[in-house]
Amino acid sequence: MAVFACAGCGTELTVPVTEVALPPHAHREGGDRYLPPLLEPGTFAVDPEPSEQPWRPWSAITAAEAAERGLYAPVDGLWSGPGGAVLLAPGDSLRTVLVPETCDGCCGAGGEPNLACAGCGRTVGARIDDCYRWQAVWLHPRAVRRLPIEGPARPAGDGWTVPPAPPVEPGGWWSDRWSAAVGTALAEVLAASGGEPVATAPGLLTETFGRTLHRLLPGAPPARALRPAGPGLAAVPAPDIALVPRHPWTGAAWPTPPGTVAVPLDAGVWTYLAFPPPRLATRLPAGEERDDPLPLRPIRLFEPDRDLLRHRLARLPSVREPWLRAIYDQLGDRRHHPGA
């Protein structure tokens, strides 16, 4: 457990918080409404990637520097400041004030450095409270210090048991959390496929993963199988590629047997995919089903987050293989829609 204090004057800027893994949707932007807080209250996460000025275009980055940063395919550019930005739930920040001059988002605070220490006025981070953005506070790594305090290092429980995250929001649109989680996981599924077609079971798995895999890895018959594996599911037969839960605290993937490639997936998304809620029993004739209320069905096909898919692919060494690099380049074409 820790609190974060201003590096200038020492004012404590947060309540006591415990560390969890950075969510895969931490940098997801989009959706059709205001999004909820990115983290649960009482927790924080650290983004290891640099996120501060200066911004350098790809043309200014050498091959050696790209390799050192773990990049194996071209990107638009890179931040060159320090890594380690601290993510918080908005209600866990203390003794900070907004800087009105930099709260210039569309409908609210858009994420520019707009949060100052109430003790000394030093800029310490950004409050995000805008449309199409997850509610969050980001503390700049050079502006704060982490102070260990007594208390539990992790939240209560084992971390593997989490509530399922439904794929469809009450308003009838696909969940942004699902779009981000599937986009990130798809990069590793593609890499694990070796360029061969991948089979998915009919239903939600095909709707969210299968259509994109079929588009990007055409061919028949499928050579490898993809399905969920993990706590509470039968261990055999093991699939070729297993979607396993990603531990919410550590980011570690659920272990798989030899010969199976593990692809970590947001634990809440995995839980719903592995254990979908049962349909209500009725007295209708066999083979007929009726729900009241009717299940939510979005008006559009599911589309994984293409930006997060490319972000993850660029950081996999296998993207240097010609077939996967071709997919990476294809995804960069804005005329291509992987969920279509």
Side-chain angles (χ1 to χ4, degrees):
M1 183 167 279
V3 297
F4 290 87
C6 174
C9 68
T11 299
E12 292 187 1
L13 304 177
T14 73
V15 300
V17 284
T18 55
E19 187 170 8
V20 297
L22 187 73
H25 53 292
H27 298 293
R28 158 80 174 172
E29 296 183 20
D32 301 315
R33 69 239 172 256
Y34 292 101
L35 295 172
L38 187 52
L39 286 187
E40 293 294 324
T43 63
F44 76 94
V46 178
D47 186 353
E49 292 202 16
S51 57
E52 293 189 17
Q53 298 284 358
W55 170 262
R56 298 169 60 206
W58 181 252
S59 59
I61 297 167
T62 66
E65 184 179 0
E68 185 179 350
R69 295 279 295 270
L71 278 168
Y72 305 100
V75 296
D76 292 336
L78 293 172
W79 296 107
S80 298
V86 179
L87 171 64
L88 298 163
D92 289 339
S93 60
L94 297 174
R95 304 178 188 93
T96 57
V97 293
L98 285 171
V99 181
E101 293 78 10
T102 53
C103 293
D104 55 354
C106 176
C107 300
E112 295 295 323
N114 59 18
L115 210 57
C117 170
C120 66
R122 178 191 180 109
T123 301
V124 293
R127 168 73 166 99
I128 298 178
D129 179 22
D130 203 1
C131 52
Y132 309 109
R133 305 289 299 276
W134 290 87
Q135 296 276 319
V137 164
W138 287 94
L139 298 179
H140 297 163
R142 289 184 287 199
V144 297
R145 292 185 292 112
R146 179 175 174 174
L147 305 177
I149 62 171
E150 291 186 5
R154 301 292 185 191
D158 64 4
W160 290 113
T161 304
V162 299
V168 184
E169 299 286 0
W173 48 76
W174 288 107
S175 162
D176 287 280
R177 180 173 172 182
W178 271 71
S179 181
V182 173
T184 303
L186 267 171
E188 302 201 29
V189 174
L190 287 168
S193 74
E196 299 177 340
V198 175
T200 55
L204 187 58
L205 184 63
T206 289
E207 198 163 5
T208 53
F209 282 87
R211 287 190 310 103
T212 301
L213 289 170
H214 178 72
R215 182 183 179 93
L216 297 177
L217 300 171
R224 305 190 183 193
L226 171 72
R227 64 173 179 269
L233 294 179
V236 291
D240 304 297
I241 308 171
L243 291 171
V244 299
R246 175 181 180 266
H247 199 285
W249 304 343
T250 65
W254 183 268
T256 54
T260 296
V261 179
V263 174
L265 184 66
D266 177 297
V269 171
W270 180 90
T271 299
Y272 191 101
L273 193 63
F275 304 102
R279 299 176 71 95
L280 299 175
T282 69
R283 298 181 182 179
L284 294 173
E288 296 186 20
E289 295 179 334
R290 183 178 300 158
D291 289 327
D292 185 19
L294 293 173
L296 294 171
R297 295 295 303 173
I299 62 173
R300 297 182 179 88
L301 297 175
F302 180 84
E303 183 169 347
D305 189 301
R306 177 175 50 194
D307 291 334
L308 293 180
L309 170 53
R310 293 190 84 238
H311 180 277
R312 183 61 187 145
L313 271 178
R315 288 154 176 80
L316 297 178
S318 54
V319 78
R320 294 175 293 191
E321 298 179 24
W323 69 269
L324 191 53
R325 175 59 187 272
I327 290 176
Y328 177 82
D329 293 338
Q330 180 185 6
L331 290 168
D333 184 348
R334 286 296 170 181
R335 296 169 296 178
H336 175 80
H337 298 280

